[in-house]
Amino acid sequence: MKDNKKMVEAITPINEDFAQWYTDICLKAELVDYSAVKGCVILRPYGYAIWENIQKLLDARFKATGHENVAMPIFIPESLLQKEKDHVEGFAPEVAWVTMGGSEQLEDRLCVRPTSETLFCDHFAHVLHSWRDLPMKYNQWCSVVRWEKTTRPFLRSREFWWQEGHTIHETAEEAIAETEQQLNTYAEFCEEELNIPVLKGKKTDKEKFAGAEATYTIEAMMHDGKALQSGTSHYFGDGFSRAFDVTFTGRDNTLQYPHQTSWGVSTRLVGAIIMTHGDDEGLILPPAVAPYQVVIVPVAAHKPGVMEKAEELRARLSKFCRVKLDASDNSPGWKFAQWEMKGVPLRLEIGPKDMEKEQCVLVRRTDREKMFTPLADLETVIPEQLVHISKQLFDRALENRKNRTFTATTMDEVMAIADKESGYIKTMWCGDEACEELMKEKAGLSSRCMPFEQEHLSDVCPCCGKPAKTMVVWGKAY
Amino acid sequence: MKDNKKMVEAITPINEDFAQWYTDICLKAELVDYSAVKGCVILRPYGYAIWENIQKLLDARFKATGHENVAMPIFIPESLLQKEKDHVEGFAPEVAWVTMGGSEQLEDRLCVRPTSETLFCDHFAHVLHSWRDLPMKYNQWCSVVRWEKTTRPFLRSREFWWQEGHTIHETAEEAIAETEQQLNTYAEFCEEELNIPVLKGKKTDKEKFAGAEATYTIEAMMHDGKALQSGTSHYFGDGFSRAFDVTFTGRDNTLQYPHQTSWGVSTRLVGAIIMTHGDDEGLILPPAVAPYQVVIVPVAAHKPGVMEKAEELRARLSKFCRVKLDASDNSPGWKFAQWEMKGVPLRLEIGPKDMEKEQCVLVRRTDREKMFTPLADLETVIPEQLVHISKQLFDRALENRKNRTFTATTMDEVMAIADKESGYIKTMWCGDEACEELMKEKAGLSSRCMPFEQEHLSDVCPCCGKPAKTMVVWGKAY
């Protein structure tokens, strides 16, 4: 016989084993389940609801800047994937191949899309005629497949859910402006709605997207000091346009190639939320994307009028926030632990004594601050508290990043820091890929980005001593 | 050099070649583009926006009845697909097989999901413990793949977009009630929001879903009298539960199998909209799902103040409807034809003379009725007109169905009607599959459903003369 009662089980302490703590949260907060398909997870209702909120907020931002949604096929013929040389080299080794349709062996194998530049280019070649048709600014929400060897929920899996924006423009300047605009959209979204501070910058050539001229990135720092690449925006120049023969008649009546961008964020962002904000009690969700922003827990629920009052409050709160009433027959203590695990930002407790005083207790998930609050004030206090929680989350994460950001001017310094700290290390860099590889070899660090906000730390590259060209932020990454 | 100006081209007349008319609309109203993948289409922004509106409205209905969204993997291992005998027989012949991941040959082939009962069952087996966990009412929005031989945009393609609901319940009664509730949700959605009258009924055993105990359907009649199966809802009993060992501890502490349902609608609904409502000028969109409900076309746009007034109206209308201002430099006549082709329900014309009189011209897409309307009244008149258009669309479609629904009591009658008419033929039926096959052979008709609203047309089956058990509606179908 199976257990007929679930328990709120303890999770591994965050500072004891961060990786296990992460997995515990993914499973025990009921975000994901492992599936019958190796390396693929199931997004359960609570996990999917977070992603749904992310989608809604981002989609609105995309539409407000003139982007339109489309749906491209799930497959890419091998012959199409091969048209852009760098791109196929980057992706072909890690795709899933469909070789049979029904009982028919396919002549041209189909890969399950790992990303859709090639499909968009093929479509652009059909529908683009004149400069009047430009820009075309498309986006799609879908899942993609990459045959990863080691996988972790949200962070790296064989299938993941994402959006991919693909745009073409009349001029290089416009395309570059689009690339930057979309990176800024991501950064603002992460900071304002996910309460995750991000570092904006440009990837080195070694780390850029297969086929791109330039890749821009937002990097977030997790609780353990490791970096998570959280969104990227690519500028392609006219490389793909030429490879796919995408042309238009320009203002001067000559045939021209459009300039192209792509940009994406994925369910990785849910991983970023977990690892940026969570604690020993479990998940802590940013109010903007929490499936429930407030959970109502009735105390002494059997006493006359308590459940009725709780339901009345639920109905009232549902007009201005996402609210859940836990009317199950579990104890209040069990419910507190359960909803703390699930990271609901604000708990509202209501019992007979509170009812007498026409008040309730609000408890913030971030610091467990208990606030006796007159019932009449909820319409004001709850939105204020949600804003307060957002700010707390952002400030904590920023503080963690500050505490874990280091500066070095020599390789000895780099190695000494990397040896005892986990975080970002800022250094100057000569621009040579050999030095980038040395940094990996000697200190186990990869270049996260060349930040837009540059500082002058020294005159020379710490690896080779040659003149420095730019400042790089290095780190260990997920 | 490519054309640098697109033209509104004429489409094939609807009563000359319905199939070509349909294809013309799909392409010229810019709903789809053919892709590099045989049998797969691209949903272009205008086509996808219709689907997005369908999703929003249906998703709200699903959530209002307690359903939660999840995301299941895109793949099903062959070993998992094979667990339910009828199901694998129905689907295995028409799936796409992934046989390689990266450079690795897979031992257990993966099919790209044609439907996800098997994945849901595998997940239910993990997460279901007690009767307290029931019901589980899940839904996912995704695309699925079926290796069809002949394809047409929206109606039948190798990949299509849909939602699939999957629920498990403590008792058979609850599961059957869910199956019926979801069918009713589909029917109400089709009639109220897509303005398409549907026939509700049960499929015969021959036509039911592979693995189901019962399949319920909504059937819509297209302009040409052919039927389109527009949504289905299946009751599985505990067949899948037993095959996948999905169990729970019941109220009496014994181990039990839950009862299961699934239900789905797809981008076929866009095909239904086109073929139910369209005419010789092109598409006509139901206001509830039209990407733009009103298009503003400025007349004599170069005259002082006209564009400013048009923009002012756009901003004003955007507060209560989805509105597009066509500010391009095409002529008004070109724009009228373009937006009629794209099926925008209501056109608003504004020019200098209208401005003098503080009025505008509203034109309904359905009947080209021109209405001089005081600008002050738009907040009232536009919503009224959109309701009026919805009603016109529904009434026309219902009229078409009435005119094309026939009754027969003998095979001679059936064949005579099928020979000269296209539509539904109602007859009694003995329940024998042999007679169903005879109907196909002799009259080219398939059973659409056994309608919930039964009539007594005669005592015997027209095929075999044996006692009749039920009334069946027959037709040719897409």
Side-chain angles (χ1 to χ4, degrees):
Chain A
M1 196 174 68
K2 295 193 186 183
D3 298 329
N4 64 3
K5 198 174 171 203
K6 288 179 293 184
M7 295 292 292
V8 181
E9 296 163 72
I11 54 172
T12 306
I14 190 166
N15 292 327
E16 185 182 302
D17 181 346
F18 191 68
Q20 188 58 48
W21 169 87
Y22 178 78
T23 306
D24 284 355
I25 288 195
C26 286
L27 295 174
K28 291 179 185 171
E30 302 185 332
L31 302 178
V32 302
D33 184 25
Y34 293 116
S35 81
V37 190
K38 194 165 171 291
C40 292
V41 294
I42 291 160
L43 301 188
R44 300 186 65 183
Y46 200 66
Y48 194 78
I50 300 170
W51 179 236
E52 239 175 348
N53 287 333
I54 291 174
Q55 288 187 71
K56 256 181 234 159
L57 293 167
L58 271 176
D59 199 69
R61 287 181 186 252
F62 297 159
K63 284 180 176 148
T65 43
H67 299 90
E68 299 177 295
N69 285 335
V70 299
M72 286 284 151
I74 197 173
F75 299 126
I76 306 172
E78 186 165 20
S79 55
L80 196 70
L81 189 68
Q82 286 173 335
K83 282 197 172 183
E84 212 286 337
K85 192 181 59 66
D86 293 334
H87 189 68
V88 67
E89 273 178 24
F91 284 104
E94 59 173 41
V95 296
W97 290 105
V98 173
T99 58
M100 289 192 71
S103 54
E104 166 201 356
Q105 192 80 31
L106 304 184
E107 280 183 36
D108 192 6
R109 296 192 299 179
L110 302 171
C111 77
V112 184
R113 63 181 163 218
T115 179
S116 306
E117 278 75 9
T118 53
L119 293 164
F120 275 90
C121 281
D122 190 58
H123 177 57
F124 288 143
H126 288 184
V127 295
L128 176 63
H129 303 282
S130 147
W131 64 270
R132 287 185 185 84
D133 302 325
L134 292 172
M136 288 184 174
K137 303 204 291 181
Y138 292 165
N139 177 61
Q140 76 172 345
W141 294 95
C142 63
S143 76
V144 290
V145 169
R146 296 178 190 176
W147 215 253
E148 304 283 357
K149 291 211 168 57
T150 53
T151 61
R152 299 184 66 189
F154 298 118
L155 301 180
R156 195 170 294 278
S157 57
R158 287 188 172 172
E159 180 187 21
F160 58 90
W161 292 266
W162 79 344
Q163 61 67 220
E164 46 179 326
H166 296 266
T167 71
I168 46 176
H169 305 263
E170 198 178 347
T171 64
E173 292 67 34
E174 272 181 47
I176 291 166
E178 166 81 10
T179 313
E180 289 167 355
Q181 174 192 278
Q182 292 313 100
L183 193 81
N184 287 330
T185 295
Y186 290 155
E188 284 161 20
F189 171 74
C190 282
E191 302 205 330
E192 292 165 12
E193 325 244 40
L194 305 186
N195 315 133
I196 298 174
V198 294
L199 188 67
K200 291 190 283 186
K202 190 178 173 181
K203 287 282 182 188
T204 62
D205 281 350
K206 181 170 183 288
E207 299 287 336
K208 76 183 184 189
F209 183 83
E213 277 199 15
T215 289
Y216 301 95
T217 182
I218 50 169
E219 301 281 322
M221 184 188 281
M222 303 297 99
H223 175 83
D224 65 347
K226 284 169 81 174
L228 187 75
Q229 178 179 304
S230 302
T232 48
S233 183
H234 316 290
Y235 169 62
F236 290 112
D238 60 8
F240 272 88
S241 294
R242 288 177 186 271
F244 285 81
D245 203 25
V246 183
T247 58
F248 66 96
T249 305
R251 288 169 201 262
D252 61 358
N253 263 338
T254 66
L255 213 54
Q256 301 178 15
Y257 295 103
H259 292 74
Q260 192 173 347
T261 83
S262 80
W263 29 274
V265 295
S266 74
T267 36
R268 269 206 142 185
L269 289 176
V270 181
I273 291 169
I274 300 170
M275 293 197 295
T276 303
H277 300 311
D279 65 13
D280 279 338
E281 272 64 59
L283 198 56
I284 304 184
L285 290 172
V289 298
Y292 308 120
Q293 297 167 311
V294 180
V295 61
I296 300 176
V297 177
V299 178
H302 57 284
K303 291 279 174 71
V306 173
M307 283 309 294
E308 290 74 6
K309 191 68 186 174
E311 170 51 31
E312 180 199 315
L313 286 172
R314 191 206 58 75
R316 194 175 134 199
L317 266 58
S318 71
K319 298 200 178 95
F320 62 92
C321 67
R322 294 187 292 273
V323 59
K324 164 88 180 172
L325 165 60
D326 187 343
S328 68
D329 56 6
N330 296 306
S331 70
W334 193 94
K335 291 178 186 178
F336 294 172
Q338 163 82 350
W339 294 109
E340 283 184 356
M341 165 73 80
K342 290 196 153 197
V344 177
L346 209 51
R347 180 170 78 228
L348 187 158
E349 304 168 14
I350 180 89
K353 283 180 199 157
D354 303 308
M355 285 165 64
E356 269 173 36
K357 297 184 194 165
E358 297 195 3
Q359 68 176 26
C360 66
V361 182
L362 291 179
V363 184
R364 284 198 297 256
R365 174 65 182 84
T366 35
D367 54 9
R368 287 185 163 168
E369 179 75 12
K370 281 184 104 157
M371 297 161 287
F372 293 93
T373 309
L375 293 177
D377 296 352
L378 291 174
E379 274 76 5
T380 326
V381 174
I382 288 176
E384 278 171 7
Q385 284 301 321
L386 293 175
V387 169
H388 184 79
I389 290 166
S390 301
K391 194 168 171 335
Q392 280 182 314
L393 290 175
F394 184 83
D395 290 348
R396 279 188 197 180
L398 193 61
E399 185 68 18
N400 184 51
R401 190 176 80 180
K402 276 186 195 154
N403 293 340
R404 291 176 177 277
T405 301
F406 307 92
T407 298
T409 53
T410 67
M411 268 315 278
D412 283 348
E413 277 175 23
V414 168
M415 287 188 293
I417 296 166
D419 195 44
K420 65 174 208 291
E421 303 282 357
S422 173
Y424 291 157
I425 305 180
K426 298 191 279 189
T427 78
M428 301 310 286
W429 180 49
C430 63
D432 194 337
E433 201 166 307
C435 293
E436 204 176 344
E437 274 156 20
L438 203 71
M439 198 66 94
K440 183 88 205 171
E441 216 172 279
K442 289 203 165 177
L445 302 172
S446 60
S447 72
R448 303 319 311 148
C449 69
M450 300 176 282
F452 293 154
E453 285 187 23
Q454 285 281 314
E455 299 164 54
H456 182 80
L457 308 173
S458 75
D459 294 330
V460 297
C461 173
C463 297
C464 65
K466 285 184 198 150
K469 282 192 180 144
T470 180
M471 183 185 81
V472 169
V473 167
W474 311 86
K476 292 193 175 71
Y478 281 98
Chain B
M1 197 174 65
K2 296 193 185 183
D3 297 327
N4 65 2
K5 196 173 170 201
K6 289 178 293 186
M7 295 292 291
V8 182
E9 295 164 73
I11 54 173
T12 305
I14 189 167
N15 292 326
E16 186 182 300
D17 182 346
F18 190 68
Q20 188 57 50
W21 170 87
Y22 178 78
T23 306
D24 285 355
I25 288 194
C26 287
L27 296 173
K28 292 181 184 170
E30 301 185 334
L31 303 178
V32 301
D33 185 24
Y34 294 115
S35 80
V37 191
K38 195 166 170 290
C40 293
V41 294
I42 290 159
L43 300 188
R44 299 186 65 184
Y46 199 66
Y48 194 79
I50 299 170
W51 179 237
E52 238 175 349
N53 288 333
I54 291 174
Q55 288 187 72
K56 255 181 235 160
L57 293 167
L58 271 176
D59 199 68
R61 286 181 186 253
F62 298 158
K63 285 181 175 149
T65 44
H67 300 89
E68 299 178 295
N69 285 335
V70 298
M72 286 283 150
I74 197 173
F75 300 126
I76 306 173
E78 188 166 18
S79 55
L80 196 69
L81 189 68
Q82 285 172 336
K83 282 198 173 183
E84 212 287 337
K85 191 181 61 64
D86 293 335
H87 190 69
V88 67
E89 273 178 22
F91 283 103
E94 59 173 41
V95 295
W97 291 105
V98 173
T99 58
M100 290 193 71
S103 55
E104 164 202 358
Q105 191 81 30
L106 304 184
E107 279 182 37
D108 193 6
R109 297 192 299 179
L110 300 172
C111 77
V112 184
R113 64 179 163 218
T115 179
S116 306
E117 278 74 10
T118 52
L119 293 164
F120 275 91
C121 282
D122 190 58
H123 177 56
F124 288 142
H126 288 185
V127 296
L128 176 62
H129 302 283
S130 148
W131 63 270
R132 286 184 185 85
D133 302 326
L134 292 171
M136 287 184 173
K137 304 203 292 181
Y138 292 165
N139 177 62
Q140 76 171 344
W141 294 95
C142 62
S143 76
V144 289
V145 169
R146 297 179 190 175
W147 215 253
E148 304 282 357
K149 292 213 166 58
T150 53
T151 60
R152 299 185 64 189
F154 298 117
L155 301 181
R156 196 170 292 280
S157 56
R158 288 188 172 170
E159 179 188 22
F160 59 90
W161 293 266
W162 79 345
Q163 60 67 220
E164 45 178 326
H166 296 267
T167 70
I168 47 175
H169 305 263
E170 199 179 345
T171 65
E173 293 67 35
E174 271 182 45
I176 291 167
E178 166 81 10
T179 313
E180 289 168 355
Q181 173 192 277
Q182 293 312 101
L183 193 81
N184 286 330
T185 295
Y186 290 156
E188 284 162 21
F189 172 74
C190 281
E191 302 205 330
E192 291 166 13
E193 325 245 40
L194 305 186
N195 316 133
I196 299 174
V198 294
L199 189 66
K200 291 191 282 187
K202 189 178 174 182
K203 286 283 183 189
T204 61
D205 281 350
K206 182 170 183 285
E207 299 287 335
K208 75 183 185 190
F209 184 83
E213 277 199 14
T215 289
Y216 301 95
T217 181
I218 51 169
E219 301 281 323
M221 185 188 281
M222 304 296 99
H223 176 84
D224 65 347
K226 284 170 82 173
L228 188 75
Q229 179 181 304
S230 301
T232 48
S233 183
H234 315 292
Y235 170 61
F236 290 111
D238 59 7
F240 272 88
S241 293
R242 288 176 185 271
F244 286 82
D245 203 25
V246 183
T247 58
F248 66 96
T249 304
R251 289 170 200 260
D252 62 358
N253 263 339
T254 65
L255 214 55
Q256 300 178 17
Y257 295 103
H259 292 75
Q260 192 174 346
T261 84
S262 80
W263 27 276
V265 295
S266 74
T267 36
R268 269 207 144 186
L269 289 176
V270 181
I273 291 169
I274 300 169
M275 293 198 296
T276 303
H277 300 312
D279 66 13
D280 279 339
E281 271 64 59
L283 197 56
I284 305 184
L285 290 173
V289 298
Y292 308 120
Q293 297 167 312
V294 180
V295 60
I296 300 175
V297 177
V299 178
H302 57 283
K303 290 281 174 67
V306 172
M307 282 311 294
E308 289 75 5
K309 191 69 188 172
E311 170 51 31
E312 179 198 316
L313 286 172
R314 190 206 58 75
R316 194 175 133 198
L317 267 58
S318 70
K319 298 198 177 97
F320 63 93
C321 67
R322 295 189 290 273
V323 58
K324 164 88 181 173
L325 165 60
D326 188 343
S328 69
D329 56 6
N330 296 307
S331 70
W334 193 94
K335 291 178 186 177
F336 294 172
Q338 163 82 350
W339 294 109
E340 284 186 353
M341 165 73 80
K342 291 197 152 198
V344 177
L346 209 51
R347 180 170 77 228
L348 187 159
E349 304 169 14
I350 181 90
K353 282 180 200 157
D354 303 307
M355 285 166 63
E356 269 174 37
K357 297 183 192 164
E358 296 195 2
Q359 67 176 27
C360 67
V361 182
L362 290 179
V363 184
R364 286 198 294 257
R365 173 65 181 84
T366 36
D367 55 10
R368 287 186 163 166
E369 179 76 12
K370 282 183 102 153
M371 297 162 286
F372 293 92
T373 308
L375 293 178
D377 296 352
L378 290 175
E379 274 76 4
T380 326
V381 173
I382 288 176
E384 278 170 8
Q385 284 301 320
L386 294 176
V387 169
H388 184 80
I389 290 165
S390 300
K391 193 165 173 338
Q392 281 182 316
L393 290 175
F394 184 83
D395 290 347
R396 278 187 197 181
L398 192 62
E399 184 68 17
N400 184 51
R401 190 175 79 179
K402 277 187 193 154
N403 293 340
R404 290 176 177 277
T405 300
F406 307 94
T407 297
T409 53
T410 67
M411 270 312 280
D412 283 350
E413 277 176 22
V414 169
M415 288 188 293
I417 296 165
D419 195 45
K420 66 174 207 290
E421 303 282 358
S422 173
Y424 290 157
I425 304 180
K426 298 191 280 190
T427 78
M428 301 310 287
W429 181 48
C430 63
D432 194 337
E433 201 166 309
C435 292
E436 205 176 343
E437 273 157 19
L438 202 73
M439 199 65 94
K440 183 88 203 170
E441 215 172 278
K442 288 202 162 175
L445 302 173
S446 60
S447 71
R448 303 318 311 145
C449 69
M450 300 176 283
F452 293 153
E453 287 189 21
Q454 285 281 312
E455 298 165 55
H456 182 80
L457 307 173
S458 75
D459 294 328
V460 296
C461 173
C463 295
C464 64
K466 284 185 201 150
K469 284 191 181 143
T470 180
M471 183 184 82
V472 169
V473 167
W474 311 85
K476 292 194 174 73
Y478 281 98

